[in-house]
Amino acid sequence: MTLFDMNTFFKLSFVFIPLLFIIGFYCIIITHNLIRVLVGLELIIKAVTLLLVVVGYTTNHTVLMQSYIITLIIIEVVVIAVAAGIVVNVAKQTGSLDTRNLRTLKG
Amino acid sequence: MKTYFILLLLMAICSLWAVMRGSLIRAAIALAATSAVLSIIMFKLVSPLAAVFELSVCAGLITVIFMSTISLAQPLTYSEMIERSKARIKRFWFLPLILVIFAFLLTLLAANLNPPLIAPETEKNISKVLWDIRQLDVFGQILILFTGIFGVIVFFGNFDKQGGTK
C-alpha cells in the first residue's frame, strides 16, 4: 500500500536529499563561526535522517527504519550537547567563536 | 505528491535560511523549522514515532541547547555582527548557485532511475523491533546517553568553575 506515485517520489527524494547535504557541507567548510559549524553538522544529519525515512518507505521497512532513526536522533543529541560544551569553553578561553583562533592551540 | 514536493522545498528553504542568516538565534530558529518540516514529512511517510522524536528532541531540545550555547558564548555585539555579516555574504552567495547547478544535474540523473522493488515488511510492531531484535543496540544507546551526560557535566562544570556563572 503506497500513498504516493513511487517513481516520482523516489526521484524527488534523489534530488532533494543531496541538496540538503550540500547546504550543510558548504556551511561547515566555508564558515568561521563554531556555532554555525554545528548548524551545518545538524543539516547533514537531517539529510541522513530524511534518507533513512525515504529508504524505509520505499522498501516497506518503515518500522525497522524508525528504530534506526531513533538511534540516530539520540546520537545526534549527545554529539550536539558535548560539542556545545566544547564551544562554550573555547569561547571562554579565546574570547570569540572564530575557528581561526583554534589554530594557535598547542598540545 | 505535490504536498511532498512543497514540504521538501520548504525544508530546503529553511535550511538555506539557517545557513545564510546573520543572526545566530535566527539560524537556530530556522534549524528548528527544518526539523519541524522533516517531522511532517515523517508523518506523511508513515513513520509517526520517529516524527514525534524528531519534533520533540531535534526541534525542541537541540534548539534549547543552541540557544543556551549562544547566550553563554557571548557572541558579537550588534555593530560587529553587521560588519561581519557583509564579509559572510561574500562567502555564501555561491551557495544558491551551487544548489541550482546540483539540482539540475541531479534531475538529469534521476530521469533514468527506478525505485527498488518493495519487499514484504518483516515486523510491524516497533516495540518488538526495539526490545527484541535490536536489544543490544538499546543498551548501547543508554551507554551513549550516559557518555553524553558525563561529557556535558565535564565541559559545562569546567565552565562554571572558570567563568563563575554561579
Side-chain angles (χ1 to χ4, degrees):
Chain A
M1 184 71 182
T2 53
L3 294 173
F4 304 120
D5 166 25
M6 196 54 89
N7 203 15
T8 321
F9 165 76
F10 192 68
K11 285 174 183 173
L12 270 178
S13 310
F14 182 82
V15 173
F16 272 93
I17 292 168
L19 289 186
L20 273 177
F21 191 89
I22 290 165
I23 294 171
F25 191 71
Y26 189 89
C27 180
I28 286 179
I29 59 170
I30 290 295
T31 189
H32 296 309
N33 190 309
L34 279 170
I35 292 175
R36 222 172 270 280
V37 170
L38 293 187
V39 170
L41 185 69
E42 268 285 305
L43 289 174
I44 289 178
I45 296 172
K46 296 272 172 281
V48 175
T49 311
L50 183 59
L51 178 69
L52 284 177
V53 176
V54 168
V55 166
Y57 184 76
T58 315
T59 58
N60 204 13
H61 283 88
T62 49
V63 173
L64 187 65
M65 281 305 158
Q66 281 186 81
S67 66
Y68 284 131
I69 291 163
I70 290 166
T71 308
L72 180 70
I73 288 170
I74 288 169
I75 294 169
E76 179 185 347
V77 170
V78 170
V79 167
I80 293 296
V82 173
I86 295 172
V87 167
V88 169
N89 275 289
V90 166
K92 198 69 196 167
Q93 293 290 329
T94 63
S96 81
L97 290 170
D98 203 317
T99 49
R100 286 167 292 191
N101 291 334
L102 299 179
R103 288 177 192 156
T104 55
L105 288 178
K106 290 175 184 173
Chain B
M1 189 50 63
K2 198 183 278 182
T3 320
Y4 181 61
F5 174 71
I6 291 167
L7 287 172
L8 282 176
L9 199 64
L10 201 62
M11 199 178 161
I13 290 167
C14 285
S15 52
L16 205 60
W17 193 41
V19 167
M20 296 188 79
R21 280 302 297 197
S23 163
L24 284 172
I25 289 175
R26 283 180 185 164
I29 290 167
L31 198 66
T34 312
S35 288
V37 177
L38 180 59
S39 67
I40 295 170
I41 292 174
M42 283 173 171
F43 272 116
K44 295 282 286 179
L45 298 183
V46 206
S47 301
L49 196 70
V52 169
F53 257 79
E54 178 72 27
L55 195 61
S56 58
V57 177
C58 294
L61 181 64
I62 288 183
T63 310
V64 171
I65 291 173
F66 269 115
M67 292 294 182
S68 29
T69 308
I70 292 163
S71 60
L72 281 174
Q74 293 167 338
L76 306 169
T77 59
Y78 186 70
S79 56
E80 284 174 330
M81 202 173 72
I82 289 171
E83 203 173 286
R84 290 213 181 176
S85 71
K86 286 175 188 169
R88 208 190 59 256
I89 286 168
K90 280 181 190 169
R91 293 198 303 271
F92 274 97
W93 77 268
F94 280 112
L95 185 56
L97 194 71
I98 289 172
L99 286 181
V100 169
I101 293 167
F102 268 93
F104 179 69
L105 290 175
L106 288 167
T107 312
L108 286 181
L109 280 174
N112 300 321
L113 272 181
N114 289 316
L117 294 172
I118 297 170
E121 196 164 27
T122 47
E123 187 58 64
K124 289 190 174 179
N125 190 356
I126 192 157
S127 60
K128 197 170 168 56
V129 171
L130 273 174
W131 293 106
D132 292 349
I133 300 171
R134 302 188 60 225
Q135 197 177 33
L136 203 62
D137 298 14
V138 172
F139 290 115
Q141 285 174 46
I142 294 166
L143 278 177
I144 289 169
L145 269 178
F146 277 110
T147 312
I149 293 165
F150 186 68
V152 167
I153 290 170
V154 167
F155 286 117
F156 282 97
N158 190 28
F159 174 75
D160 281 344
K161 279 174 196 165
Q162 288 178 356
T165 51
K166 281 182 181 174

